[in-house]
Amino acid sequence: MPVAISGLYISITAILVVMFAMRVVKLRRKHKIGIGDSDNKELRIAGRVHANLIENAPIAMALLLVAELNGLAPLGLHLLGIMWVIGRVLHAIGLTKGQGGYHLGRFWGGLLSWLMILILAGINLGYFVYSQI
């Protein structure tokens, strides 16, 4: 069974991972910091943007893949995938612009990301329950 739709969003997520990592590398070079953040707030925030994506992506992408394998309609997969990508971009912008504090983008980005994860968890639990009947 092809999994092209989840493959699309996994690929977009992978591109975001590399983009956020490149931002960290750029700041390390700019400030001549090899390891850690040397108490540089800009580098610390860039590192958290990258790390937060890395922390959330595996479960989100696994849930999306399982939902596609279970037969979730393409429209549902795309809506949840788009919700994920928008959430991750908003979170990155908000965390950066808010300098680690509250920012509307950080709030909505985190909310969309968690909502996507919870919706997919519910869908996949529903597939399990239905398969047991």
Side-chain angles (χ1 to χ4, degrees):
M1 172 182 213
V3 287
I5 296 172
S6 53
L8 169 66
Y9 295 103
I10 293 167
S11 297
I12 291 169
T13 300
I15 291 166
L16 288 174
V17 167
V18 172
M19 287 173 52
F20 295 167
M22 288 173 57
R23 183 169 161 231
V24 170
V25 169
K26 182 179 173 184
L27 289 169
R28 286 189 184 286
R29 285 184 173 179
K30 175 182 173 183
H31 298 291
K32 297 180 177 36
I33 300 170
I35 296 176
D37 60 34
S38 293
D39 208 29
N40 181 294
K41 188 172 184 178
E42 185 180 21
L43 179 56
R44 185 170 47 253
I45 291 169
R48 279 309 310 151
V49 166
H50 181 253
N52 192 275
L53 176 59
I54 294 296
E55 292 161 2
N56 286 280
I59 191 66
M61 296 300 94
L63 287 165
L64 189 67
L65 178 61
V66 169
E68 185 167 9
L69 289 170
N70 281 330
L72 184 61
L75 179 60
L77 292 165
H78 281 297
L79 289 174
L80 290 162
I82 290 166
M83 178 187 293
W84 167 256
V85 172
I86 290 171
R88 293 314 349 174
V89 170
L90 281 174
H91 183 269
I93 291 168
L95 186 54
T96 303
K97 298 277 187 196
Q99 295 289 298
Y102 179 81
H103 187 278
L104 206 55
R106 183 179 183 188
F107 171 80
W108 281 104
L111 184 63
L112 285 174
S113 300
W114 287 351
L115 190 57
M116 179 266 202
I117 289 170
L118 290 172
I119 289 169
L120 279 169
I123 287 169
N124 287 324
L125 286 169
Y127 279 120
F128 171 77
V129 170
Y130 181 75
S131 75
Q132 301 303 303
I133 298 173

